[in-house]
Amino acid sequence: MKQKVALVLSSGGARGMAHIGVIEELEKLGFEISSVAGASIGSVIGGIYAADQLREYTKWVRNLHKFDVYKLMDFSISSQGFIKGDKVFKEIQKFIPDRRIEDLAIPFAAVAADPLNRKETVFTRGSLFRAIRASIAIPGIVLPSRINDVDLVDGGVVNPIPADHVKRTDGDILVVVDLNSSFSYRKPIYDLNAQKANEAQYRLVLEKIRKKLGVSEKTNKDKKSRPGYYDLLHNSINLMQEKLSELTLRLHNPDILIRIPRAACKTFEFYRANELIEAGREAFLKSYSEWKEKGG
């Protein structure tokens, strides 16, 4: 009989590609993921996995170049955020159809935040993509998702590691992937040639845009300056998520804890998917080995 796993996937932007590496290794080792809960990017990967479409998503994200990510950002002039967040879902729906959460192969929960009413909203029924869209709405950056006249934002604001919402069964083990750790990041060994080609392509495209707009590249990169609006907001959210994550991990004490440092990448660096998937794989194998040594 396979060992059942209740899997919890944290918020963390593009670092969430590490979730894919963890899931792939769990399956290789013969674990049965019997339920999953996620916040923000954790809800994206967890929900798509529960819909049995992770292979299709992984193939797509592995081939994203840096400029592809930029093209998927549908910019807005709203005071609630500068990215609409709809374009990427329209792209994903070209190869992954929407599903109702209650019809998925395994129990799934996505967490969003309701800041006006000061509470979390947990999706366990209804449209999968609607739930995911609400869960990823980073405050001040991605427009809120309006559902039933309520504006919902990123689940990481209130519950970055939603271990209290994953469905548990007798004999399962709790596996948590935390993307908000503060330790240093060591790049894994992966396809360096593909990464270099990705960067080179982006630089060529960026240079063409600069020439067309008559904008010169900034050269004084070392000059220190005070953080702007985005930096302050981003760093504040990161700090909050780190502290909330620490409290959650103390409370729930997972059997296997996989930690990916926040320093691994920036929020929208999805073009680094191949590297981050490998980082997730390596981090899982390390934690799995430690668990086995303790008698797991």
Side-chain angles (χ1 to χ4, degrees):
M1 183 180 292
K2 291 184 176 181
Q3 171 64 66
K4 290 186 177 181
V5 166
L7 181 63
V8 181
L9 305 176
S10 87
S11 58
R15 296 188 299 281
M17 298 306 95
H19 291 324
I20 297 172
V22 172
I23 290 171
E24 289 179 347
E25 287 303 314
L26 280 167
E27 291 191 325
K28 281 182 185 178
L29 289 169
F31 288 95
E32 178 189 346
I33 300 173
S34 55
S35 59
V36 61
S40 197
I41 190 62
S43 74
V44 176
I45 304 302
I48 289 175
Y49 173 78
D52 197 25
Q53 299 286 331
L54 189 60
R55 287 180 180 84
E56 289 79 1
Y57 178 85
T58 302
K59 182 180 178 181
W60 174 70
V61 80
R62 277 187 178 277
N63 289 289
L64 280 180
H65 290 281
K66 197 168 185 179
F67 195 64
D68 293 329
V69 176
Y70 177 80
K71 288 191 294 185
L72 288 170
M73 293 183 183
D74 42 359
F75 293 102
S76 165
I77 57 173
S78 171
S79 60
Q80 291 185 306
F82 57 83
I83 296 174
K84 294 178 183 177
D86 298 328
K87 196 171 183 179
V88 65
F89 282 101
K90 288 180 181 178
E91 187 66 26
I92 291 173
Q93 282 185 290
K94 290 179 182 178
F95 57 93
I96 299 177
D98 193 9
R99 303 273 297 280
R100 295 192 67 79
I101 295 174
E102 58 268 34
D103 296 334
L104 300 179
I106 60 175
F108 168 69
V111 176
D114 176 357
L116 183 62
N117 295 302
R118 302 165 65 96
K119 64 180 183 178
E120 64 182 5
T121 297
V122 184
F123 293 90
T124 57
R125 300 182 65 82
S127 163
L128 174 62
F129 283 169
R130 196 181 191 194
I132 291 172
R133 172 62 184 83
S135 187
I136 65 156
I138 305 171
I141 299 172
V142 179
L143 289 180
S145 182
R146 193 162 184 81
I147 298 177
N148 297 327
D149 295 325
V150 176
D151 286 327
L152 300 177
V153 299
D154 196 305
V157 168
V158 66
N159 197 349
I161 301 179
D164 51 336
H165 294 300
V166 70
K167 187 173 182 180
R168 303 297 302 272
T169 56
D170 290 340
D172 69 13
I173 61 172
L174 180 63
V175 176
V176 170
V177 187
D178 172 24
L179 305 176
N180 297 298
S181 298
S182 57
F183 58 88
S184 60
Y185 175 63
R186 180 181 63 82
K187 275 192 177 185
I189 298 172
Y190 70 109
D191 189 349
L192 292 175
N193 289 329
Q195 181 68 15
K196 288 177 181 177
N198 188 341
E199 294 286 353
Q201 183 195 48
Y202 175 72
R203 284 195 296 271
L204 287 172
V205 173
L206 192 61
E207 186 58 31
K208 289 179 181 178
I209 293 173
R210 285 198 184 103
K211 286 182 179 178
K212 186 172 288 188
L213 296 176
V215 178
S216 60
E217 185 175 2
K218 292 181 180 179
T219 56
N220 192 12
K221 294 180 179 179
D222 296 327
K223 185 178 179 180
K224 290 185 178 181
S225 60
R226 296 180 67 182
Y229 165 79
Y230 172 77
D231 291 325
L232 283 171
L233 179 63
H234 182 68
N235 292 335
S236 298
I237 291 173
N238 280 340
L239 176 61
M240 176 183 62
Q241 290 189 12
E242 182 182 337
K243 296 305 179 184
L244 285 172
S245 296
E246 289 175 2
L247 291 171
T248 298
L249 292 173
R250 288 177 197 164
L251 180 63
H252 291 278
N253 191 27
D255 297 285
I256 301 178
L257 172 61
I258 300 96
R259 310 195 84 158
I260 302 296
R262 197 185 322 108
C265 75
K266 296 179 181 178
T267 302
F268 295 108
E269 290 184 333
F270 289 92
Y271 64 92
R272 293 172 60 188
N274 291 297
E275 171 194 340
L276 294 161
I277 290 171
E278 189 59 35
R281 193 187 317 282
E282 288 188 5
F284 169 77
L285 290 174
K286 180 177 181 295
S287 297
Y288 171 73
S289 177
E290 292 171 353
W291 176 70
K292 291 294 287 183
E293 288 177 3
K294 293 178 181 177

mmCIF file of all heavy atoms in Angstrom, residues 238-280:
data_model
loop_
_atom_site.group_PDB
_atom_site.id
_atom_site.type_symbol
_atom_site.label_atom_id
_atom_site.label_comp_id
_atom_site.label_asym_id
_atom_site.label_seq_id
_atom_site.Cartn_x
_atom_site.Cartn_y
_atom_site.Cartn_z
ATOM 1 N N ASN A 238 6.695 40.145 2.074
ATOM 2 C CA ASN A 238 7.627 39.041 2.307
ATOM 3 C C ASN A 238 7.890 38.832 3.796
ATOM 4 O O ASN A 238 7.912 37.698 4.286
ATOM 5 C CB ASN A 238 8.953 39.316 1.597
ATOM 6 C CG ASN A 238 8.893 38.992 0.121
ATOM 7 O OD1 ASN A 238 8.022 38.246 -0.319
ATOM 8 N ND2 ASN A 238 9.814 39.550 -0.646
ATOM 9 N N LEU A 239 8.092 39.937 4.517
ATOM 10 C CA LEU A 239 8.347 39.845 5.946
ATOM 11 C C LEU A 239 7.153 39.236 6.669
ATOM 12 O O LEU A 239 7.301 38.362 7.532
ATOM 13 C CB LEU A 239 8.655 41.238 6.511
ATOM 14 C CG LEU A 239 8.855 41.333 8.025
ATOM 15 C CD1 LEU A 239 10.023 40.481 8.487
ATOM 16 C CD2 LEU A 239 9.059 42.797 8.437
ATOM 17 N N MET A 240 5.969 39.692 6.308
ATOM 18 C CA MET A 240 4.748 39.182 6.928
ATOM 19 C C MET A 240 4.588 37.681 6.669
ATOM 20 O O MET A 240 4.291 36.903 7.588
ATOM 21 C CB MET A 240 3.540 39.935 6.371
ATOM 22 C CG MET A 240 2.198 39.434 6.870
ATOM 23 S SD MET A 240 0.848 40.331 6.082
ATOM 24 C CE MET A 240 1.115 39.872 4.374
ATOM 25 N N GLN A 241 4.821 37.262 5.426
ATOM 26 C CA GLN A 241 4.672 35.856 5.084
ATOM 27 C C GLN A 241 5.698 34.995 5.813
ATOM 28 O O GLN A 241 5.392 33.879 6.243
ATOM 29 C CB GLN A 241 4.803 35.667 3.571
ATOM 30 C CG GLN A 241 3.645 36.230 2.786
ATOM 31 C CD GLN A 241 3.674 35.845 1.326
ATOM 32 O OE1 GLN A 241 4.426 34.976 0.913
ATOM 33 N NE2 GLN A 241 2.854 36.487 0.531
ATOM 34 N N GLU A 242 6.912 35.502 5.949
ATOM 35 C CA GLU A 242 7.950 34.752 6.655
ATOM 36 C C GLU A 242 7.549 34.495 8.098
ATOM 37 O O GLU A 242 7.681 33.373 8.617
ATOM 38 C CB GLU A 242 9.269 35.518 6.604
ATOM 39 C CG GLU A 242 10.415 34.786 7.278
ATOM 40 C CD GLU A 242 11.706 35.576 7.260
ATOM 41 O OE1 GLU A 242 11.856 36.454 6.379
ATOM 42 O OE2 GLU A 242 12.563 35.326 8.121
ATOM 43 N N LYS A 243 7.047 35.520 8.788
ATOM 44 C CA LYS A 243 6.667 35.379 10.189
ATOM 45 C C LYS A 243 5.438 34.477 10.354
ATOM 46 O O LYS A 243 5.380 33.646 11.271
ATOM 47 C CB LYS A 243 6.399 36.753 10.811
ATOM 48 C CG LYS A 243 7.627 37.659 10.856
ATOM 49 C CD LYS A 243 8.787 36.990 11.576
ATOM 50 C CE LYS A 243 10.022 37.869 11.597
ATOM 51 N NZ LYS A 243 11.177 37.153 12.230
ATOM 52 N N LEU A 244 4.460 34.630 9.458
ATOM 53 C CA LEU A 244 3.279 33.769 9.513
ATOM 54 C C LEU A 244 3.659 32.311 9.254
ATOM 55 O O LEU A 244 3.128 31.389 9.891
ATOM 56 C CB LEU A 244 2.235 34.230 8.486
ATOM 57 C CG LEU A 244 1.442 35.486 8.816
ATOM 58 C CD1 LEU A 244 0.593 35.906 7.625
ATOM 59 C CD2 LEU A 244 0.560 35.272 10.036
ATOM 60 N N SER A 245 4.587 32.110 8.326
ATOM 61 C CA SER A 245 5.038 30.755 8.003
ATOM 62 C C SER A 245 5.700 30.098 9.203
ATOM 63 O O SER A 245 5.456 28.925 9.504
ATOM 64 C CB SER A 245 6.009 30.788 6.812
ATOM 65 O OG SER A 245 5.370 31.253 5.647
ATOM 66 N N GLU A 246 6.533 30.842 9.898
ATOM 67 C CA GLU A 246 7.207 30.302 11.082
ATOM 68 C C GLU A 246 6.197 29.845 12.133
ATOM 69 O O GLU A 246 6.339 28.768 12.726
ATOM 70 C CB GLU A 246 8.133 31.365 11.677
ATOM 71 C CG GLU A 246 9.373 31.661 10.835
ATOM 72 C CD GLU A 246 10.194 32.803 11.393
ATOM 73 O OE1 GLU A 246 9.799 33.340 12.461
ATOM 74 O OE2 GLU A 246 11.207 33.162 10.789
ATOM 75 N N LEU A 247 5.166 30.643 12.352
ATOM 76 C CA LEU A 247 4.145 30.289 13.347
ATOM 77 C C LEU A 247 3.373 29.038 12.927
ATOM 78 O O LEU A 247 3.094 28.156 13.748
ATOM 79 C CB LEU A 247 3.177 31.465 13.530
ATOM 80 C CG LEU A 247 3.751 32.704 14.221
ATOM 81 C CD1 LEU A 247 2.755 33.860 14.147
ATOM 82 C CD2 LEU A 247 4.112 32.407 15.669
ATOM 83 N N THR A 248 3.030 28.960 11.637
ATOM 84 C CA THR A 248 2.283 27.808 11.134
ATOM 85 C C THR A 248 3.090 26.524 11.265
ATOM 86 O O THR A 248 2.563 25.484 11.676
ATOM 87 C CB THR A 248 1.904 28.026 9.653
ATOM 88 O OG1 THR A 248 1.056 29.166 9.554
ATOM 89 C CG2 THR A 248 1.175 26.815 9.091
ATOM 90 N N LEU A 249 4.365 26.579 10.945
ATOM 91 C CA LEU A 249 5.204 25.382 11.012
ATOM 92 C C LEU A 249 5.371 24.901 12.450
ATOM 93 O O LEU A 249 5.405 23.696 12.711
ATOM 94 C CB LEU A 249 6.564 25.677 10.375
ATOM 95 C CG LEU A 249 6.525 25.912 8.861
ATOM 96 C CD1 LEU A 249 7.884 26.365 8.351
ATOM 97 C CD2 LEU A 249 6.066 24.661 8.129
ATOM 98 N N ARG A 250 5.454 25.829 13.399
ATOM 99 C CA ARG A 250 5.541 25.431 14.807
ATOM 100 C C ARG A 250 4.246 24.755 15.260
ATOM 101 O O ARG A 250 4.257 23.795 16.032
ATOM 102 C CB ARG A 250 5.791 26.651 15.691
ATOM 103 C CG ARG A 250 7.188 27.235 15.575
ATOM 104 C CD ARG A 250 7.299 28.491 16.429
ATOM 105 N NE ARG A 250 8.445 29.288 16.070
ATOM 106 C CZ ARG A 250 8.615 30.542 16.424
ATOM 107 N NH1 ARG A 250 7.702 31.152 17.165
ATOM 108 N NH2 ARG A 250 9.697 31.220 16.059
ATOM 109 N N LEU A 251 3.132 25.247 14.755
ATOM 110 C CA LEU A 251 1.829 24.737 15.174
ATOM 111 C C LEU A 251 1.546 23.357 14.590
ATOM 112 O O LEU A 251 1.031 22.469 15.290
ATOM 113 C CB LEU A 251 0.738 25.715 14.750
ATOM 114 C CG LEU A 251 -0.705 25.352 15.102
ATOM 115 C CD1 LEU A 251 -0.881 25.288 16.619
ATOM 116 C CD2 LEU A 251 -1.669 26.363 14.492
ATOM 117 N N HIS A 252 1.904 23.134 13.327
ATOM 118 C CA HIS A 252 1.506 21.899 12.639
ATOM 119 C C HIS A 252 2.610 20.845 12.550
ATOM 120 O O HIS A 252 2.311 19.676 12.292
ATOM 121 C CB HIS A 252 0.977 22.233 11.241
ATOM 122 C CG HIS A 252 -0.327 22.963 11.265
ATOM 123 N ND1 HIS A 252 -1.535 22.330 11.416
ATOM 124 C CD2 HIS A 252 -0.611 24.288 11.186
ATOM 125 C CE1 HIS A 252 -2.505 23.219 11.419
ATOM 126 N NE2 HIS A 252 -1.976 24.416 11.275
ATOM 127 N N ASN A 253 3.861 21.225 12.716
ATOM 128 C CA ASN A 253 4.971 20.269 12.782
ATOM 129 C C ASN A 253 4.897 19.200 11.680
ATOM 130 O O ASN A 253 4.621 18.020 11.947
ATOM 131 C CB ASN A 253 5.002 19.596 14.157
ATOM 132 C CG ASN A 253 6.279 18.808 14.370
ATOM 133 O OD1 ASN A 253 7.310 19.113 13.784
ATOM 134 N ND2 ASN A 253 6.198 17.777 15.199
ATOM 135 N N PRO A 254 5.154 19.556 10.434
ATOM 136 C CA PRO A 254 5.046 18.592 9.334
ATOM 137 C C PRO A 254 6.029 17.433 9.457
ATOM 138 O O PRO A 254 7.099 17.571 10.055
ATOM 139 C CB PRO A 254 5.361 19.445 8.096
ATOM 140 C CG PRO A 254 6.098 20.623 8.610
ATOM 141 C CD PRO A 254 5.562 20.892 9.975
ATOM 142 N N ASP A 255 5.650 16.291 8.889
ATOM 143 C CA ASP A 255 6.542 15.125 8.882
ATOM 144 C C ASP A 255 7.744 15.384 7.978
ATOM 145 O O ASP A 255 8.875 15.059 8.332
ATOM 146 C CB ASP A 255 5.770 13.897 8.393
ATOM 147 C CG ASP A 255 4.633 13.534 9.326
ATOM 148 O OD1 ASP A 255 4.913 12.977 10.398
ATOM 149 O OD2 ASP A 255 3.472 13.829 8.986
ATOM 150 N N ILE A 256 7.482 15.940 6.797
ATOM 151 C CA ILE A 256 8.560 16.306 5.880
ATOM 152 C C ILE A 256 8.385 17.781 5.520
ATOM 153 O O ILE A 256 7.335 18.175 5.018
ATOM 154 C CB ILE A 256 8.552 15.455 4.598
ATOM 155 C CG1 ILE A 256 8.700 13.962 4.935
ATOM 156 C CG2 ILE A 256 9.673 15.882 3.653
ATOM 157 C CD1 ILE A 256 8.648 13.041 3.721
ATOM 158 N N LEU A 257 9.406 18.562 5.789
ATOM 159 C CA LEU A 257 9.371 19.993 5.488
ATOM 160 C C LEU A 257 10.435 20.309 4.447
ATOM 161 O O LEU A 257 11.618 20.045 4.661
ATOM 162 C CB LEU A 257 9.622 20.811 6.753
ATOM 163 C CG LEU A 257 9.808 22.322 6.575
ATOM 164 C CD1 LEU A 257 8.563 22.954 5.959
ATOM 165 C CD2 LEU A 257 10.145 22.980 7.908
ATOM 166 N N ILE A 258 10.000 20.856 3.315
ATOM 167 C CA ILE A 258 10.912 21.248 2.243
ATOM 168 C C ILE A 258 10.962 22.765 2.232
ATOM 169 O O ILE A 258 9.920 23.435 2.136
ATOM 170 C CB ILE A 258 10.423 20.736 0.865
ATOM 171 C CG1 ILE A 258 10.320 19.206 0.880
ATOM 172 C CG2 ILE A 258 11.361 21.200 -0.233
ATOM 173 C CD1 ILE A 258 8.942 18.689 1.165
ATOM 174 N N ARG A 259 12.161 23.330 2.329
ATOM 175 C CA ARG A 259 12.290 24.788 2.422
ATOM 176 C C ARG A 259 13.086 25.322 1.237
ATOM 177 O O ARG A 259 14.202 24.877 0.959
ATOM 178 C CB ARG A 259 12.954 25.185 3.738
ATOM 179 C CG ARG A 259 12.315 24.543 4.954
ATOM 180 C CD ARG A 259 12.711 25.197 6.241
ATOM 181 N NE ARG A 259 11.869 26.372 6.517
ATOM 182 C CZ ARG A 259 11.691 26.879 7.733
ATOM 183 N NH1 ARG A 259 12.297 26.346 8.771
ATOM 184 N NH2 ARG A 259 10.930 27.927 7.911
ATOM 185 N N ILE A 260 12.496 26.295 0.561
ATOM 186 C CA ILE A 260 13.136 27.004 -0.546
ATOM 187 C C ILE A 260 13.333 28.446 -0.102
ATOM 188 O O ILE A 260 12.368 29.103 0.311
ATOM 189 C CB ILE A 260 12.262 26.973 -1.821
ATOM 190 C CG1 ILE A 260 11.966 25.529 -2.239
ATOM 191 C CG2 ILE A 260 12.939 27.747 -2.952
ATOM 192 C CD1 ILE A 260 13.173 24.726 -2.644
ATOM 193 N N PRO A 261 14.549 28.970 -0.153
ATOM 194 C CA PRO A 261 14.777 30.333 0.334
ATOM 195 C C PRO A 261 14.143 31.395 -0.551
ATOM 196 O O PRO A 261 14.061 31.238 -1.778
ATOM 197 C CB PRO A 261 16.305 30.456 0.334
ATOM 198 C CG PRO A 261 16.777 29.437 -0.625
ATOM 199 C CD PRO A 261 15.802 28.309 -0.559
ATOM 200 N N ARG A 262 13.702 32.470 0.081
ATOM 201 C CA ARG A 262 13.119 33.586 -0.659
ATOM 202 C C ARG A 262 14.106 34.186 -1.644
ATOM 203 O O ARG A 262 13.737 34.756 -2.666
ATOM 204 C CB ARG A 262 12.637 34.656 0.319
ATOM 205 C CG ARG A 262 11.673 35.641 -0.295
ATOM 206 C CD ARG A 262 11.276 36.762 0.626
ATOM 207 N NE ARG A 262 11.105 36.329 2.004
ATOM 208 C CZ ARG A 262 11.957 36.638 2.967
ATOM 209 N NH1 ARG A 262 13.030 37.354 2.717
ATOM 210 N NH2 ARG A 262 11.744 36.227 4.198
ATOM 211 N N ALA A 263 15.405 34.059 -1.336
ATOM 212 C CA ALA A 263 16.442 34.615 -2.205
ATOM 213 C C ALA A 263 16.597 33.859 -3.518
ATOM 214 O O ALA A 263 17.356 34.277 -4.386
ATOM 215 C CB ALA A 263 17.775 34.627 -1.460
ATOM 216 N N ALA A 264 15.871 32.756 -3.693
ATOM 217 C CA ALA A 264 16.038 31.940 -4.900
ATOM 218 C C ALA A 264 15.704 32.713 -6.171
ATOM 219 O O ALA A 264 16.384 32.568 -7.189
ATOM 220 C CB ALA A 264 15.162 30.690 -4.806
ATOM 221 N N CYS A 265 14.661 33.534 -6.123
ATOM 222 C CA CYS A 265 14.307 34.320 -7.312
ATOM 223 C C CYS A 265 13.293 35.387 -6.944
ATOM 224 O O CYS A 265 12.722 35.373 -5.846
ATOM 225 C CB CYS A 265 13.764 33.430 -8.436
ATOM 226 S SG CYS A 265 12.077 32.852 -8.159
ATOM 227 N N LYS A 266 13.039 36.294 -7.872
ATOM 228 C CA LYS A 266 12.039 37.340 -7.682
ATOM 229 C C LYS A 266 10.656 36.814 -8.054
ATOM 230 O O LYS A 266 10.510 35.774 -8.678
ATOM 231 C CB LYS A 266 12.401 38.569 -8.519
ATOM 232 C CG LYS A 266 13.717 39.220 -8.092
ATOM 233 C CD LYS A 266 14.051 40.408 -8.971
ATOM 234 C CE LYS A 266 15.388 41.035 -8.557
ATOM 235 N NZ LYS A 266 15.763 42.164 -9.432
ATOM 236 N N THR A 267 9.638 37.573 -7.685
ATOM 237 C CA THR A 267 8.251 37.128 -7.796
ATOM 238 C C THR A 267 7.853 36.678 -9.189
ATOM 239 O O THR A 267 7.161 35.667 -9.346
ATOM 240 C CB THR A 267 7.306 38.260 -7.349
ATOM 241 O OG1 THR A 267 7.624 38.628 -6.002
ATOM 242 C CG2 THR A 267 5.851 37.819 -7.414
ATOM 243 N N PHE A 268 8.284 37.398 -10.226
ATOM 244 C CA PHE A 268 7.803 37.110 -11.575
ATOM 245 C C PHE A 268 8.846 36.436 -12.472
ATOM 246 O O PHE A 268 8.682 36.416 -13.685
ATOM 247 C CB PHE A 268 7.307 38.405 -12.231
ATOM 248 C CG PHE A 268 6.102 38.992 -11.552
ATOM 249 C CD1 PHE A 268 6.202 40.145 -10.793
ATOM 250 C CD2 PHE A 268 4.859 38.386 -11.655
ATOM 251 C CE1 PHE A 268 5.091 40.685 -10.157
ATOM 252 C CE2 PHE A 268 3.746 38.906 -11.026
ATOM 253 C CZ PHE A 268 3.860 40.062 -10.272
ATOM 254 N N GLU A 269 9.871 35.851 -11.893
ATOM 255 C CA GLU A 269 10.915 35.225 -12.702
ATOM 256 C C GLU A 269 10.554 33.783 -13.089
ATOM 257 O O GLU A 269 11.313 32.836 -12.878
ATOM 258 C CB GLU A 269 12.257 35.269 -11.971
ATOM 259 C CG GLU A 269 12.818 36.680 -11.884
ATOM 260 C CD GLU A 269 14.193 36.739 -11.239
ATOM 261 O OE1 GLU A 269 14.528 35.858 -10.428
ATOM 262 O OE2 GLU A 269 14.923 37.692 -11.546
ATOM 263 N N PHE A 270 9.392 33.624 -13.707
ATOM 264 C CA PHE A 270 8.929 32.299 -14.105
ATOM 265 C C PHE A 270 9.767 31.700 -15.229
ATOM 266 O O PHE A 270 9.715 30.488 -15.457
ATOM 267 C CB PHE A 270 7.459 32.362 -14.514
ATOM 268 C CG PHE A 270 6.523 32.577 -13.364
ATOM 269 C CD1 PHE A 270 6.136 33.864 -12.997
ATOM 270 C CD2 PHE A 270 6.045 31.509 -12.627
ATOM 271 C CE1 PHE A 270 5.281 34.068 -11.913
ATOM 272 C CE2 PHE A 270 5.193 31.704 -11.548
ATOM 273 C CZ PHE A 270 4.806 32.989 -11.190
ATOM 274 N N TYR A 271 10.523 32.524 -15.922
ATOM 275 C CA TYR A 271 11.387 32.006 -16.979
ATOM 276 C C TYR A 271 12.516 31.139 -16.405
ATOM 277 O O TYR A 271 13.217 30.453 -17.154
ATOM 278 C CB TYR A 271 11.969 33.165 -17.802
ATOM 279 C CG TYR A 271 12.873 34.085 -17.014
ATOM 280 C CD1 TYR A 271 14.234 33.870 -16.955
ATOM 281 C CD2 TYR A 271 12.358 35.174 -16.318
ATOM 282 C CE1 TYR A 271 15.068 34.702 -16.219
ATOM 283 C CE2 TYR A 271 13.175 36.003 -15.580
ATOM 284 C CZ TYR A 271 14.526 35.765 -15.544
ATOM 285 O OH TYR A 271 15.349 36.589 -14.801
ATOM 286 N N ARG A 272 12.682 31.145 -15.096
ATOM 287 C CA ARG A 272 13.700 30.319 -14.448
ATOM 288 C C ARG A 272 13.112 28.994 -13.956
ATOM 289 O O ARG A 272 13.635 28.355 -13.056
ATOM 290 C CB ARG A 272 14.337 31.081 -13.288
ATOM 291 C CG ARG A 272 15.162 32.282 -13.735
ATOM 292 C CD ARG A 272 15.624 33.133 -12.575
ATOM 293 N NE ARG A 272 16.447 32.394 -11.637
ATOM 294 C CZ ARG A 272 16.854 32.872 -10.453
ATOM 295 N NH1 ARG A 272 16.516 34.107 -10.105
ATOM 296 N NH2 ARG A 272 17.598 32.141 -9.652
ATOM 297 N N ALA A 273 12.031 28.568 -14.592
ATOM 298 C CA ALA A 273 11.311 27.375 -14.136
ATOM 299 C C ALA A 273 12.202 26.141 -14.064
ATOM 300 O O ALA A 273 12.142 25.379 -13.089
ATOM 301 C CB ALA A 273 10.121 27.105 -15.062
ATOM 302 N N ASN A 274 13.032 25.911 -15.073
ATOM 303 C CA ASN A 274 13.865 24.703 -15.081
ATOM 304 C C ASN A 274 14.787 24.654 -13.866
ATOM 305 O O ASN A 274 14.933 23.615 -13.217
ATOM 306 C CB ASN A 274 14.682 24.641 -16.375
ATOM 307 C CG ASN A 274 13.807 24.385 -17.576
ATOM 308 O OD1 ASN A 274 13.175 23.349 -17.688
ATOM 309 N ND2 ASN A 274 13.742 25.354 -18.481
ATOM 310 N N GLU A 275 15.395 25.784 -13.554
ATOM 311 C CA GLU A 275 16.271 25.863 -12.378
ATOM 312 C C GLU A 275 15.495 25.615 -11.089
ATOM 313 O O GLU A 275 15.934 24.859 -10.212
ATOM 314 C CB GLU A 275 16.926 27.246 -12.334
ATOM 315 C CG GLU A 275 17.687 27.534 -11.059
ATOM 316 C CD GLU A 275 18.029 29.013 -10.886
ATOM 317 O OE1 GLU A 275 18.033 29.753 -11.891
ATOM 318 O OE2 GLU A 275 18.285 29.421 -9.739
ATOM 319 N N LEU A 276 14.318 26.240 -10.965
ATOM 320 C CA LEU A 276 13.561 26.167 -9.723
ATOM 321 C C LEU A 276 12.928 24.796 -9.521
ATOM 322 O O LEU A 276 12.813 24.321 -8.385
ATOM 323 C CB LEU A 276 12.504 27.269 -9.705
ATOM 324 C CG LEU A 276 13.119 28.675 -9.650
ATOM 325 C CD1 LEU A 276 12.116 29.720 -10.098
ATOM 326 C CD2 LEU A 276 13.628 28.980 -8.245
ATOM 327 N N ILE A 277 12.523 24.150 -10.598
ATOM 328 C CA ILE A 277 12.018 22.775 -10.489
ATOM 329 C C ILE A 277 13.107 21.870 -9.941
ATOM 330 O O ILE A 277 12.879 21.036 -9.057
ATOM 331 C CB ILE A 277 11.512 22.263 -11.855
ATOM 332 C CG1 ILE A 277 10.222 23.006 -12.252
ATOM 333 C CG2 ILE A 277 11.271 20.756 -11.818
ATOM 334 C CD1 ILE A 277 9.760 22.739 -13.674
ATOM 335 N N GLU A 278 14.325 22.059 -10.454
ATOM 336 C CA GLU A 278 15.449 21.261 -9.962
ATOM 337 C C GLU A 278 15.770 21.596 -8.506
ATOM 338 O O GLU A 278 16.109 20.715 -7.702
ATOM 339 C CB GLU A 278 16.676 21.497 -10.839
ATOM 340 C CG GLU A 278 17.841 20.572 -10.549
ATOM 341 C CD GLU A 278 17.482 19.101 -10.714
ATOM 342 O OE1 GLU A 278 16.683 18.771 -11.614
ATOM 343 O OE2 GLU A 278 17.992 18.280 -9.929
ATOM 344 N N ALA A 279 15.650 22.877 -8.138
ATOM 345 C CA ALA A 279 15.874 23.277 -6.751
ATOM 346 C C ALA A 279 14.876 22.589 -5.825
ATOM 347 O O ALA A 279 15.228 22.138 -4.725
ATOM 348 C CB ALA A 279 15.763 24.793 -6.613
ATOM 349 N N GLY A 280 13.624 22.498 -6.261
ATOM 350 C CA GLY A 280 12.612 21.808 -5.472
ATOM 351 C C GLY A 280 12.910 20.326 -5.331
ATOM 352 O O GLY A 280 12.744 19.742 -4.255
#
